[in-house]
Amino acid sequence: RRSSSATMVKLSALVSLLWLPVALAAKGKKGGGKKGGGKKGAGGEKGGDTCELSSRNTDMTDEEFVVALQGLLANTHVHQPGSYTHLEQQEVIFALGEAIKQVDEELDGSENGRLLQEGICRSSGPLPEYNPAQDPFLGPNPLNNMHGDSGLSDTTNFPAPQDADTTIVRYLPTQSQCYTTAFNAAADRVVLLCHTFPYIDCRIQSQECSNTTGTQLRLVKRSNDPDCWNDETCDPFETIDTLTLSGLGRQAGIYFYIDNNDVAVVANDKVLDFYPVGSDSTNLTATLSIDLTSYMVSDADQITSAFPGWDGLVWWETNAGKVGTINLDTGTVGVWEPPEGIDLDLCPGVNCPTGIVKGIAVDESGTYVITNSVLAKFQATVGSETPDLLWSFTYDRGSAIYNCSAPGCGSTTGEPTGMKPGMQSWGSGTSAKLFGENEDMIGIANNADVQIEINVVDRTSGELLCELPMFEANMSAVTTSFVGYKNMLFGVNNFGMIPGISVPSAPGFFRVDVESNNSGGYNCVPKWFENDQTNTGCLKFSTDTAIVYNNVNSYSLRLNAVVEFAINILESKGLGNLVPLLEYIANFFSDNFVLARDYETACVRYKYDLNDGRSYRGLTLGELNGWTYFVSNQIGPAGELYVGTLGALKVLYDPTN
């Protein structure tokens, strides 16, 4: 188990000499099919992509390994489990590198321990199509927003990949992780909302490569030619413009939508911006900006999201808890404020009881907003723009049994909170999910202390129809939206997830059905439960394949052995206090998959390894490191599956569909 002292000295020297917050120099090419194709592009000029994607499936030298980890640590410092000096970080990188070498020598190139499974059960599909009512002021379902439609169903009738062996993967370089994907009506433009990173895609410092994190809107030309999609050497994408937004974090446009006129409506800090993205669009230029600064409670307050109602009013909500509308024809703004008032000592912030951190859902009868305390239904009309509260359902938001330690805690760091590990605020982590055979139900998760519960509420009355505890006691949290199809809800456990690295959640992937009972009411009935550990991303469901698509994370046998060796190295040097940092860094090498389960039987129908980046002695740097909890998978019209990974949007396509 011991490497030569010369090797140890060499790596230690590299760690000491290469402490630079930069990562690897790019050597690879853009585009790509399963075997790195992408030679034939969609045509036109490459607007905005001046940085090249890093090499794939190549081995790192000792020097490159050290520099890569230094760059990743520099980019994720706010998420690390404590404050560590450069010297301490060097010690951990040295121990990890030594352990990787020792394990590599002992295993001698043997199986890494990944369990790739696909095609091991029969399909239960295709299923009857799901066609929710079309909001007349949105683009066509299911293209218009991250959740696909005004009820936020995350369900589509498009196919999606089923065979990992025939899957073609294409790479859209972004120097970012893209977490929202939507399409114009013709599906020849894709609009992306991405969080940028220094040194992630652009591996060397230059004028073209940003050294600061931020949020970008991207306009991408997309081919509808099936011949291109089926040819792995053809790249169906061309980035034609990028735009840096002034908003930061989650309030920088994550819930943008594309309206019925092919205009992307983006909430950017305190302003709503309107960008034409039709088939003739070649850049991102706002044709209208509506400044809502005067309606914010403080400089820290921001617009959480906006969405069009059935009569054309644009609804908006703020992080502190206001709900409003805008009449685009007259400019009239109507505003509702919580009757109990807004606590300016807590709001905006993770402990704000009136706070709003989730998206808006809309149907023909009203608008649904979930705050950190209640699920509420509003109504407003042209000429009477001030929202009326129709009903309010108070859910169990839990109690302050944790100390706030997440990056989003801000000034409340160290203070008591009910925000569980893996969540974004002290309250529900789900947007209102409109579902039901008769389009009459709403599904949310509450935030109960021991076990969070599914709450199913009647859309008309706001009454609770049924509830069901989920996941293991004291290890339950939901911060990504459910999938809704007919009377079914699909969801995952997010307890313990950490943004910035691939720390998997506590186990939990479920289907729950709402069934009528003999008493004239309803029961929430569990249909299946699996122990998958979610990494990041919103679920997506295809009626064509009858598959629910998720992103999961796990340690390989090799990585487990590496961590054990590295802990021994640190403890032998009296550095056991650095083990938490070691475990944090080890997550950069964890396995990341798209995992797909049959909606009926829950058996694995598709499992695709997302890690195809650079390797070091048998371990591959993970690429689904979730900087944000909102890396929302998306399914496109050709049957392609979009997954936001570090440095590139990966698009999986199965030509056999």
Side-chain angles (χ1 to χ4, degrees), residues 544-616:
D544 184 89
T545 62
I547 288 175
V548 188
Y549 294 84
N550 187 23
N551 299 334
V552 299
N553 175 278
S554 65
Y555 270 32
S556 66
L557 300 178
R558 182 182 291 265
L559 184 56
N560 279 321
V562 165
V563 172
E564 181 181 349
F565 271 104
I567 289 174
N568 290 338
I569 292 172
L570 289 175
E571 291 180 343
S572 69
K573 299 171 69 173
L575 298 174
N577 62 305
L578 300 183
V579 169
L581 180 60
L582 166 69
E583 294 174 336
Y584 174 89
I585 295 175
N587 285 291
F588 290 128
F589 292 93
S590 59
D591 287 349
N592 299 279
F593 302 95
V594 170
L595 179 137
R597 291 191 177 276
D598 189 89
Y599 97 109
E600 183 64 33
T601 65
C603 64
V604 175
R605 295 265 307 282
Y606 180 83
K607 194 170 185 179
Y608 193 88
D609 187 358
L610 289 165
N611 283 7
D612 63 353
R614 307 202 71 188
S615 298
Y616 183 67

Side-chain angles (χ1 to χ4, degrees), residues 58 85 97 111 125 154-155 184 201 223 228 278 284 289 299 342 363 370 430 433 504-505 546 551 558 652:
T58 57
T85 66
E111 172 59 39
D154 287 297
T155 295
N184 67 0
D201 188 26
S223 173
C228 180
L284 291 166
S289 292
D299 288 341
I342 295 175
D363 66 12
I370 191 161
T430 56
K433 185 67 56 176
S505 68
N551 299 334
R558 182 182 291 265
L652 310 183

Side-chain angles (χ1 to χ4, degrees), residues 184 257-266 273-278 287:
N184 67 0
Y257 68 88
I258 299 179
D259 71 12
N260 59 316
N261 293 314
D262 273 344
V263 174
V265 181
V266 182
D273 289 326
F274 294 70
Y275 299 96
V277 293
T287 56

Side-chain angles (χ1 to χ4, degrees), residues 116-245:
L116 288 175
Q117 304 174 34
E118 64 276 336
I120 64 175
C121 61
R122 295 179 59 185
S123 171
S124 298
L127 301 173
E129 290 191 351
Y130 176 66
N131 295 302
Q134 174 68 52
D135 183 333
F137 289 89
L138 270 178
N141 298 336
L143 304 173
N144 54 58
N145 74 92
M146 68 187 299
H147 296 297
D149 51 60
S150 65
L152 315 185
S153 73
D154 287 297
T155 295
T156 180
N157 300 321
F158 298 141
Q162 300 185 73
D163 188 338
D165 290 334
T166 59
T167 292
I168 297 171
V169 59
R170 292 173 166 98
Y171 307 94
L172 185 61
T174 58
Q175 199 204 341
S176 60
Q177 187 166 32
C178 296
Y179 41 77
T180 306
T181 305
F183 309 82
N184 67 0
D188 57 9
R189 295 291 185 273
V190 183
V191 183
L192 304 173
L193 199 287
C194 311
H195 189 89
T196 62
F197 301 88
Y199 318 118
I200 292 297
D201 188 26
C202 304
R203 302 293 183 173
I204 54 176
Q205 295 188 67
S206 70
Q207 292 181 344
E208 293 82 11
C209 298
S210 169
N211 291 333
T212 59
T213 60
T215 306
Q216 283 188 341
L217 198 64
R218 287 178 165 260
L219 181 63
V220 179
K221 185 177 180 181
R222 176 188 174 277
S223 173
N224 282 310
D225 182 0
D227 290 337
C228 180
W229 281 99
N230 291 328
D231 179 357
E232 67 181 65
T233 68
C234 182
D235 188 347
F237 301 109
E238 175 193 347
T239 300
I240 54 180
D241 200 15
T242 60
L243 179 71
T244 299
L245 303 179

